Amino acid sequence: MIVKFHTNKNTTWVNAAGDAVPYKFVPKIDKDKEAIASKIHKAALNVQAGLNALYEQMDDAFKTIRTMIDAEYELKNSKKKKESKGSLTWYNFDRSLKVEADMNDIVKWDSALMTEALEHLNKYLSSGLTDANVLIQGLVKSAFSNRSNMIDTGKVFQILKYQSEIKNASFQKACELMRNAQSIDKTKLYMRVWEKQPTGDYKIINLNFSSI
């Protein structure tokens, strides 16, 4: 949907139902809300553009630092380093700034296989209550029945850790199905920037609205 805002230059305003309302009949409170919403929308787009630009800059920085570290390793050890993945932390010269970067794989789950896996997990859980069952039951609920109706990847991996311990046939089949259901959708870079405080601790530069 294309976002559209009206101003006092528009002789008619179109409401959500598609009806044209003459400007003079539009309530003042709606005119004021329209103006405020327009300003917030513009500011939000500017912030989004800035964050996108910052992410690209940090992504380039991560690749540059990784290349430099690998080159230094090869120079010191006279051999090529294996492809580097995972986390990386570096500092500025006086260590007053710390930058952390994490490369995380985003897992995609095959819904049909996960549905079948859940059936086998429920069959295992119905076989009788044990300490292991109670633990797995909580993980299953979190993994498959969360509020967002999405597969919780972390909880699924916790379930899979018990594959070598729980020999129940239904549980083993569920684990097999879950392992086959996963694929790497994409790799996401997460970066955090920290400033050193007088106490010696590092304080993160907040780039997340949810933590304000």
Side-chain angles (χ1 to χ4, degrees), residues 16-167:
D19 302 322
V21 180
Y23 176 77
K24 64 180 180 180
F25 293 129
V26 177
K28 182 180 183 303
I29 188 173
D30 288 335
K31 294 174 182 176
D32 292 342
K33 288 192 294 184
E34 187 84 352
I36 294 172
S38 177
K39 290 179 181 179
I40 291 176
H41 180 251
K42 183 177 180 180
L45 290 178
N46 287 335
V47 170
Q48 182 185 54
L51 286 175
N52 286 339
L54 176 61
Y55 181 86
E56 291 179 5
Q57 181 180 352
M58 296 175 79
D59 185 43
D60 289 339
F62 170 77
K63 294 174 182 175
T64 299
I65 295 295
R66 176 69 79 190
T67 299
M68 292 167 58
I69 291 175
D70 289 351
E72 183 180 38
Y73 172 89
E74 292 171 10
L75 182 63
K76 288 182 177 180
N77 297 277
S78 300
K79 64 179 181 179
K80 190 172 180 62
K81 188 177 181 182
K82 294 181 180 179
E83 183 180 1
S84 300
K85 293 183 179 181
S87 302
L88 179 66
T89 300
W90 74 90
Y91 302 83
N92 65 331
F93 190 67
D94 69 356
R95 300 179 76 86
S96 60
L97 191 73
K98 177 174 70 171
V99 181
E100 294 178 335
D102 292 317
M103 291 292 289
N104 294 329
D105 292 333
I106 306 300
V107 178
K108 182 179 181 180
W109 299 96
D110 182 285
S111 59
L113 290 177
M114 292 302 285
T115 298
E116 187 178 353
L118 179 57
E119 292 176 357
H120 285 280
L121 286 171
N122 287 333
K123 183 178 180 181
Y124 159 68
L125 293 172
S126 66
S127 62
L129 284 178
T130 63
D131 290 342
N133 273 20
V134 172
L135 177 62
I136 298 300
Q137 187 175 43
L139 290 174
V140 169
K141 184 176 181 180
S142 298
F144 292 88
S145 305
N146 52 71
R147 293 179 181 178
S148 59
N149 292 320
M150 299 288 289
I151 298 296
D152 187 321
T153 297
K155 298 298 183 182
V156 172
F157 286 152
Q158 287 186 47
I159 295 172
L160 290 172
K161 288 181 180 179
Y162 292 91
Q163 186 173 11
S164 61
E165 300 177 23
I166 301 175
K167 302 304 180 181

